[in-house]
Amino acid sequence: MAVAALLLFAATAAGQEGEFPNRPTDMQFGRLLFDASRLRDAEAFLEQARPANEDETIERLFLLGRIAMQQGRPREAAKRFEAILARRPDFTRVRLELATAYYAAERDDKARLHFERAMADRLPSSVETAVERFLDRIDNRKRWSASVSVALAPESNPAKRTREEMVRIGGAPFRLDEDSREASGTGVMLSGGASWTPRIGDGLRAVLAASGSTKRYRQKEWNDLSAAVEAGAARVLDGSNLSGGLRAGRRWLGNDGYSRSLGPWLRGGARLSASTRLNISVDLLRFSHDDRPDLDGWRWTARTGLVHAVSSRSSLEVGLDLEHVSARTGRHGSRMAGMSLSFAHAFRGGLSVTPSLAIHQRRYAGRDPLFDRVREDITIRPSIRLLHRALQYGDFAPWIGYSHERNRSNIAIHSWRNQAVLIGVSRRF
């Protein structure tokens, strides 16, 4: 305190009598005032400070973040710590401060992400224990969450139609009309959802959720809109959770009703370690179709996802998908199995890159009457997504992506390719 006061007096005197060569900088004043717990004064000096190098830039942001946290402004603190990680994603201490700020701001999804990534690095046992306690609190306290995403998607073949001009049916060639062949278009994608999990007992919660997504085109017949609601209950344990309930859904294609669905769902998650998490979901839905009763039937889907923080800068996600579809007309039934792999890495400077690859194989239940064979498809979808941590507007994070999707079928009319560039923004609440 005395040192800070002496420096302040010296600065005042210098302003009255002219500059002197050893005048302390705003950064030095800020450090001293922070150490003296004069947070408001320290913040004023640090805000106007002009760092001399990269290290001072990071120190300034760190001190401003600590001040914001101590003054009860965790969202502002998170922005300061995010700015540091944009420059140096390997700073584990800053990542822990960021995770704590998000926890204080009740941004639990982001807090969990950064706690788990920090645990991928070697931490003292006392710090690991503290992080595990934070993760348990996140699991136990979460009451509601919401997300929204908007994207513009120019695509080469959004309707996923063949590029073939001729097909053979019963050995005879037939020319396809233009409406049956691939065409490009630009779609606007909007998706979002919200969930509320009020406590109804010790470790027991109700689950109420709603979600929706839509893709809109100038060509109205390509429009696709889906909405769903869920109700159920969840059991929360240390390091794991299990929930289940009933789901109802509705889908529209080309602005007309297409299908309804109703059935039970089951979700589960477990922390295998502080940096590894396993998620499982199972749905059993009965589908009915507005104009295609031959497609009516049950659809069973299961997905397992393993997320592992390789380091504080990188994470790996592996997924396994299974699906069984029954239909009133047997040949429309099918079985599908697939795998996906995604790797996220943050580079110095703020750029984060997430390449991914998904492969799915589907076999239908009966012969196609026109082509006299059982249809088999293999769909391959490599993609990449980029975002820059420093480019955020409010709590919205802009991103850009590219995907190349290809379906290979033993029936030529069902083979197609689609390339898409996606430019969007997203936010989790």
Side-chain angles (χ1 to χ4, degrees):
M1 291 285 289
V3 174
L6 181 60
L7 287 172
L8 286 170
F9 174 78
T12 303
Q16 294 175 349
E17 300 176 7
E19 296 292 338
F20 58 89
N22 295 321
R23 181 184 185 278
T25 65
D26 290 331
M27 277 296 302
Q28 291 171 326
F29 277 127
R31 290 191 200 103
L32 289 166
L33 290 166
F34 178 82
D35 291 338
S37 298
R38 295 181 56 176
L39 301 183
R40 290 187 179 180
D41 293 331
E43 186 174 33
F45 275 100
L46 291 169
E47 287 284 8
Q48 68 185 20
R50 297 294 179 266
N53 50 50
E54 179 74 3
D55 289 341
E56 280 199 352
T57 297
I58 291 174
E59 181 187 11
R60 172 181 173 272
L61 290 168
F62 184 75
L63 292 175
L64 287 170
R66 292 289 304 279
I67 291 170
M69 277 295 291
Q70 293 183 42
Q71 292 185 334
R73 295 177 280 134
R75 289 179 179 269
E76 183 178 331
K79 292 179 181 179
R80 304 292 190 180
F81 298 137
E82 284 276 16
I84 297 175
L85 290 181
R87 292 175 166 84
R88 295 292 302 273
D90 55 332
F91 274 10
T92 302
R93 181 186 174 184
V94 176
R95 190 173 297 280
L96 287 170
E97 294 282 357
L98 175 62
T100 305
Y102 277 133
Y103 175 83
E106 298 187 359
R107 302 288 299 277
D108 287 345
D109 289 335
K110 287 193 172 185
R112 181 196 299 282
L113 170 67
H114 290 290
F115 276 131
E116 290 178 347
R117 286 197 174 181
M119 287 292 278
D121 291 340
R122 293 182 178 180
L123 300 175
S125 58
S126 59
V127 177
E128 286 190 0
T129 301
V131 170
E132 289 172 353
R133 288 174 180 168
F134 271 114
L135 291 172
D136 287 338
R137 291 172 191 165
I138 289 172
D139 289 336
N140 286 309
R141 80 170 186 178
K142 193 170 184 179
R143 296 292 183 271
W144 74 276
S145 65
S147 64
V148 63
S149 178
V150 182
L152 185 68
E155 299 178 77
S156 64
N157 183 23
K160 298 180 179 179
R161 296 170 177 167
T162 184
R163 63 171 54 181
E164 300 290 335
E165 296 183 5
M166 303 286 294
V167 297
R168 288 187 172 274
I169 301 176
F174 287 85
R175 180 176 295 277
L176 297 175
D177 60 31
E178 290 295 328
D179 291 337
S180 300
R181 295 167 54 199
E182 71 173 42
S184 61
T186 299
V188 177
M189 302 168 58
L190 174 64
S191 62
S195 65
W196 182 44
T197 56
R199 182 175 178 178
I200 57 177
D202 187 18
L204 188 63
R205 297 180 186 171
V207 176
L208 299 171
S211 62
S213 64
T214 184
K215 210 169 180 182
R216 313 295 291 182
Y217 296 90
R218 179 177 296 178
Q219 299 87 340
K220 294 182 179 180
E221 65 273 17
W222 296 353
N223 291 344
D224 192 345
L225 170 63
S226 298
V229 293
E230 294 180 351
R235 179 71 174 175
V236 180
L237 305 171
D238 288 344
S240 64
N241 62 82
L242 181 66
S243 60
L246 195 66
R247 175 186 175 93
R250 181 71 165 127
R251 187 180 182 188
W252 295 262
L253 291 179
N255 298 339
D256 295 322
Y258 176 71
S259 67
R260 292 179 174 84
S261 60
L262 180 66
W265 57 268
L266 184 69
R267 307 278 188 273
R271 288 205 315 272
L272 305 184
S273 70
S275 58
T276 305
R277 186 172 188 84
L278 177 67
N279 298 305
I280 299 175
S281 66
V282 179
D283 295 270
L284 180 60
L285 301 174
R286 172 71 182 183
F287 280 81
S288 60
H289 297 77
D290 295 46
D291 300 318
R292 293 288 306 276
D294 55 322
L295 298 178
D296 292 353
W298 289 93
R299 180 179 300 173
W300 172 84
T301 59
R303 174 173 173 77
T304 300
L306 185 69
V307 183
H308 175 66
V310 180
S311 70
S312 60
R313 300 172 60 179
S314 305
S315 65
L316 178 69
E317 182 173 358
V318 181
L320 172 65
D321 296 288
L322 299 172
E323 181 179 84
H324 181 274
V325 179
S326 64
R328 183 177 298 179
T329 302
R331 65 183 177 84
H332 293 305
S334 64
R335 294 182 179 180
M336 182 275 290
M339 292 190 66
S340 61
L341 180 67
S342 177
F343 181 76
H345 183 74
F347 292 92
R348 290 189 62 171
L351 180 65
S352 293
V353 180
T354 306
S356 60
L357 175 66
I359 302 175
H360 295 86
Q361 182 172 12
R362 184 182 297 275
R363 178 181 174 84
Y364 285 79
R367 288 181 174 274
D368 187 295
L370 287 178
F371 299 93
D372 193 31
R373 67 179 61 181
V374 175
R375 178 180 167 186
E376 295 183 13
D377 293 358
I378 296 178
T379 306
I380 302 174
R381 186 178 186 272
S383 62
I384 188 169
R385 180 166 170 165
L386 300 90
L387 63 86
H388 200 289
R389 302 178 71 96
L391 300 178
Q392 293 197 21
Y393 302 94
D395 290 321
F396 286 87
W399 54 272
I400 185 169
Y402 169 80
S403 68
H404 181 100
E405 192 171 13
R406 181 175 182 178
N407 188 68
R408 295 181 177 178
S409 178
N410 62 344
I411 299 178
I413 197 172
H414 297 301
S415 294
W416 50 264
R417 296 181 181 181
N418 182 38
Q419 299 183 68
V421 176
L422 298 95
I423 305 169
V425 295
S426 61
R427 180 183 177 184
R428 290 184 178 272
F429 298 84

